Amino acid sequence: MLNGYVSITGKPNVGKSTLINTLLKRKIAITSPKPQTTRNQIYGVYESDNLKIKFIDTPGWHIPKFKLDYFLNSQIKNSYKIADIVLLLIDLTRPIDNEDLNVIDMIKAYKNERVILVLTKADISNDKKIDEYKEKVSKLIHLASVVVISSKKLIGINDLLTSISKYLPNENKNISNQEDDNFTISEIIREQIIFNTKQELPYATSVYVELNNYDKFTNTLNIQAVIVVEKESQKPILIGKNGLMIKKIGTIARKELLNIYSSNINLRLFVKVQKEWRNNEKFLIDIGYSNK
């Protein structure tokens, strides 16, 4: 069986999380039009008769402002260290800019020899644009192959898997299927914060699971999660008038979790103020972030 690690990388909002969800035919990464939606390496395993691929969805590279941002960028670099293949995603509807060039320079710095250029949003592009982008990127970095896709329209997905299988090393790697339930739960909750709040609030919040307990007698997953904000003034916005906002976030998140877990879901949300948590290294480590 061919197996290995594949890093999905690119600037913010090129479709990395949408692609991994499409490849695995289920939701493991949250998506939104807002940058910095992905904050961690997200792992998902694809299996077929002759393939076992561990995909790594990485945050979009960006200029750091907080200690959290340095963590996000370190996640991209860490993925290059273990990746057998790097998928470089570039959006056909957006110009190739300095953010793309920074990602390309990082890939080159780690001397990844198997780089597949994945041109996204093919359904709203044209052949002339595709040829133009192929030529531009091939002058900047050595490419093993080029695949044109649309995750939403399922264009080129099988071609991408075929290309990946061609360049996977024939090694017997121990690839675990294990996923972190607490991470999945916290991300589902954070997704609803992103969609239901505005301006800076989605970026100033984080979520961690305080309690995750399965009651086999009632087939119920009891979850207690904490939403962290940076300022006292943000807490009432997140809670909302008469608690309506926090109730809305919890209700939709619970519905999403019911699609993932085959049990009842009892979800309780709390809001905590942790001033300047994005610059608090100890707190970042405590809730699961690390540069290592």
Side-chain angles (χ1 to χ4, degrees):
M1 175 181 281
L2 293 172
N3 59 18
Y5 293 86
V6 175
S7 172
I8 303 175
T9 189
K11 69 183 177 185
N13 294 116
V14 292
K16 298 181 293 293
S17 296
T18 302
L19 175 58
I20 195 170
N21 290 341
T22 301
L23 286 163
L24 302 184
K25 298 180 181 178
R26 61 191 177 90
K27 185 172 184 173
I28 69 159
I30 65 174
T31 60
S32 91
K34 298 178 183 178
Q36 297 183 36
T37 299
T38 301
R39 285 184 179 168
N40 298 67
Q41 287 181 0
I42 298 174
Y43 297 93
V45 176
Y46 172 89
E47 282 190 85
S48 66
D49 292 339
N50 62 336
L51 282 178
K52 190 169 186 179
I53 306 165
K54 193 155 198 175
F55 287 102
I56 312 166
D57 179 24
T58 62
W61 188 93
H62 59 283
I63 298 170
K65 296 179 182 178
F66 306 97
K67 288 183 178 179
L68 173 64
D69 300 332
Y70 286 100
F71 165 80
L72 301 184
N73 286 346
S74 76
Q75 293 292 284
I76 307 168
K77 296 174 183 177
N78 289 342
S79 79
Y80 296 154
K81 293 178 184 178
I82 64 171
D84 299 296
I85 297 171
V86 174
L87 304 185
L88 169 60
L89 270 63
I90 291 184
D91 184 340
L92 285 163
T93 67
R94 295 159 67 188
I96 295 174
D97 57 18
N98 286 334
E99 287 183 310
D100 294 299
L101 298 180
N102 283 327
V103 174
I104 288 170
D105 286 343
M106 277 196 295
I107 296 170
K108 290 164 72 173
Y110 283 86
K111 296 181 170 59
N112 295 92
E113 295 296 324
R114 303 179 182 99
V115 179
I116 298 174
L117 173 62
V118 181
L119 297 173
T120 67
K121 300 186 183 175
D123 55 313
I124 49 177
S125 187
N126 56 64
D127 291 343
K128 183 179 179 182
K129 179 73 68 154
I130 290 167
D131 291 339
E132 176 191 334
Y133 276 45
K134 283 181 183 178
E135 184 179 355
K136 279 186 179 180
V137 180
S138 63
K139 288 179 180 177
L140 299 171
I141 187 171
H142 172 73
L143 299 171
S145 67
V146 180
V147 182
V148 182
I149 71 161
S150 166
S151 295
K152 289 186 177 179
K153 299 288 186 178
L154 301 180
I155 297 169
I157 300 302
N158 288 335
D159 293 338
L160 179 57
L161 288 168
T162 299
S163 187
I164 290 170
S165 65
K166 183 178 177 182
Y167 295 103
L168 278 177
N170 193 6
E171 300 173 10
N172 187 22
K173 296 187 176 181
N174 183 23
I175 295 179
S176 169
N177 289 14
Q178 187 175 0
E179 296 175 6
D180 185 342
D181 281 344
N182 283 352
F183 175 75
T184 300
I185 292 164
S186 64
E187 285 290 274
I188 293 296
I189 297 166
R190 193 166 66 85
E191 181 179 43
Q192 293 312 315
I193 296 170
I194 292 170
F195 277 116
N196 289 287
T197 61
K198 299 177 181 179
Q199 298 175 346
E200 177 64 15
L201 194 54
Y203 305 105
T205 57
S206 188
V207 180
Y208 65 90
V209 175
E210 207 168 43
L211 172 72
N212 178 356
N213 177 42
Y214 176 68
D215 185 339
K216 64 180 181 181
F217 297 106
T218 60
N219 187 30
T220 300
L221 190 60
N222 296 297
I223 302 165
Q224 186 169 299
V226 178
I227 302 172
V228 181
V229 295
E230 286 187 321
K231 301 173 183 177
E232 288 288 347
S233 60
Q234 293 166 341
K235 188 173 180 179
I237 297 171
L238 193 55
I239 293 172
K241 187 177 180 180
N242 298 323
L244 289 178
M245 177 58 73
I246 197 76
K247 183 178 180 181
K248 181 180 180 181
I249 290 167
T251 298
I252 304 173
R254 181 179 171 276
K255 287 180 181 177
E256 287 283 337
L257 292 169
L258 285 169
N259 292 328
I260 298 172
Y261 299 101
S262 55
S263 65
N264 302 312
I265 302 289
N266 176 24
L267 176 62
R268 300 176 68 200
L269 299 178
F270 299 89
V271 182
K272 171 184 176 181
V273 178
Q274 178 71 44
K275 292 182 179 179
E276 297 186 357
W277 68 264
R278 285 181 285 182
N279 270 327
N280 186 328
E281 190 169 351
K282 182 181 182 302
F283 181 75
L284 288 170
I285 292 170
D286 286 346
I287 64 172
Y289 293 111
S290 170
N291 281 321
K292 297 179 181 178

